[in-house]
Amino acid sequence: MSLLVVGLSHRSAPVSVLERAALNADAQAKLLQDTLAAEPATEAAVLATCNRIELYADVDKFHAGVAELSTLLAQHSGVGLEELTPYLYVHYEDRAVHHLFSVACGLDSMVVGEGQILGQIKDTLARAQELHTAGRLLNDLFQQALRVGKRAHSETGIDRAGQSLVTFGLEQLAAREPVGEWVRGKRALVIGAGSMSSLAAATLVRAGVTEIVVANRTFERAERLAEILGDSGPAGVTARAVPMDSVARELTRADVAVSCTGATGLVLTADVVSAAVEGRVPAEARLGEVPAQARSGSAGTAVRPVETAEEPCPFDLSTARGFSVAGEAAVAGMDAASLEQHAAWVDNAPAERREGTAPDPQAEAEAIAALVAAAGRTGRLPERRRPFPSAAHARPAVLALLDLAMPRDIDAAVHRVPGVRLVDIESLADASADAPMAADVEQVRSIVSDEVAAFGAAQRAAHITPTVVALRTMAADVVAGEMARLEGRLPGLEDKQRAEITQTVRRVVDKLLHAPTVRVKQLAGEPGGAGYADALRTLFDLDPQTVAAVSRADHTNNENDDPNRGRA
């Protein structure tokens, strides 16, 4: 076994890189085909989810395999190899098995213990089988990963530690309020009709929304999902489907929207969201206005709006209210030049303009200078995703958005739209970093370790089986040859005598081979036991072609005899 995995995930790479490296179905298929065409790989599978992209392969050379798989990932993701390499991780042989089993159990998920990954692993195997890129090793590996994941969920309480990204995302939107209470009575819009969107829609219906609208590029799929939701949901829930060009209109009616599509571009821009909110937000909370409760400081003194007539600020202060009030969220995604301009504007601010404003000009200038430096290094401004304790963000949200897509469906600039709360993959990663781990996680880790050892032993034992079969075939040929020679020398043997002699010779051969073949299978199952097959072939001068023929025949028989192969 020479299993190799090269990949990146939310643990190794920022969301901005994962977003750019995301692979659609066609790109995944092409990556698999190109991987098999590469010299080091004989099998391949791609596990691509919203927070990981991993390429699994059976390779004959480790270093060449790492180089080739890394290059292929870079080519098909569109992220340059030099940029992608620092975020890649590599696992080999038993470590690769351990990694996949951990992933299957939800130990490596953004939300520890979530069960959706099992469906994604099943889809990965099905895709590799459909494209004929999965052979014996990857078929066995992914089938066992599914069994290990199911065992972890059935034998431990890992479900108590984990939940789906949908549930976790809704909890973040609801903040301190129980999801059921927060959702009850709301109108929901779900964009997309795939597995994640369907789960989101079903979760919202169970939680108590009064209306759910499904939008999808293929209207028939949206209709089908809406029909299922209407039939299976509680009484009083309205479920209907709309085409994608109705999303902007439906957004003006929705209280919460969930988006998870396979689109490569933005589904909801900041302008669309802002327009949808404009007619719903109370007048005092609209863009450019300050809520009444934010107009006085702790001592009751008025806080005057920043005057900009004599020298306009480079960005809209009605959103930022200075700089610190909305912080980095106010300028997320802006270029370094605009930030530098604002830093100079703050530095040169006359005293009367500063009076009554909360920010300290020096501190503001330093903060912006740091952001400029960061933008220069990364090519974009770092985007803060957590809520800011500011007047602008203290306003009650009239529209809650959950973006579960990778790459993202909803413009990050939506964070700056008053009255909107956005939770996306990046903010979920921030929140899950502080989530408590259940005690059952240790039990799951123990299960994974045991299963990895068992899988490795089984693979190593299976590796030597063709050699043992070839040895016994050679011994049977020797017996047959010797009996033919005896027949020539003793042509007068009776059938009974001939049969007895044949049986005796076979018993002798079997007894001589029994102990060494049983023992070599045991030894091959232990770590480092792969060399016993080579030793057996060398000692008995076995023809490598014979061993290979046995392997091919055994593989074909296994596939034909197992009607459940490829099913989980």
Side-chain angles (χ1 to χ4, degrees), residues 303-307 321-322 352-361:
V303 178
R304 298 186 310 182
V306 178
E307 301 294 338
R321 310 307 308 165
E352 59 271 17
R353 173 144 54 84
R354 299 177 189 173
E355 183 182 353
T357 61
D360 172 64

Side-chain angles (χ1 to χ4, degrees), residues 464 467-469 471-472 510 512-523 536 540:
I464 204 169
T467 302
V468 172
V469 172
L471 173 60
R472 289 191 173 276
D510 286 343
L512 287 173
L513 291 181
H514 176 73
T517 53
V518 169
R519 184 60 180 147
V520 79
K521 284 184 177 180
Q522 294 172 341
L523 293 171
L536 207 59
F540 288 93

Side-chain angles (χ1 to χ4, degrees), residues 170-181:
L170 291 175
E171 285 186 354
Q172 298 306 302
L173 284 176
R176 298 178 181 85
E177 191 175 356
V179 172
E181 295 179 12

Side-chain angles (χ1 to χ4, degrees), residues 17-37:
V17 174
L18 283 172
E19 188 176 46
R20 292 166 55 208
L23 301 172
N24 59 31
D26 291 340
Q28 291 176 42
K30 188 66 169 65
L31 173 58
L32 286 174
Q33 293 164 355
D34 288 354
T35 301
L36 281 195

Side-chain angles (χ1 to χ4, degrees), residues 317-342:
L317 285 178
S318 62
T319 301
R321 310 307 308 165
F323 173 77
S324 60
V325 173
E328 294 162 54
V331 292
M334 287 192 174
D335 61 277
S338 295
L339 287 168
E340 286 176 340
Q341 213 178 341
H342 178 63

Side-chain angles (χ1 to χ4, degrees), residues 100 128 142 164 171 195 200 358 380 389 397 405 426 428:
L100 180 60
F142 278 82
S164 71
E171 285 186 354
S195 57
R380 70 185 186 97
E426 192 164 0
L428 288 177

Side-chain angles (χ1 to χ4, degrees), residues 44 71 99 113 174 189 197 206 275 279 392 436 502 511 524:
T71 301
H99 174 72
L189 169 65
S197 298
R206 285 196 304 269
T502 301
K511 287 183 178 181

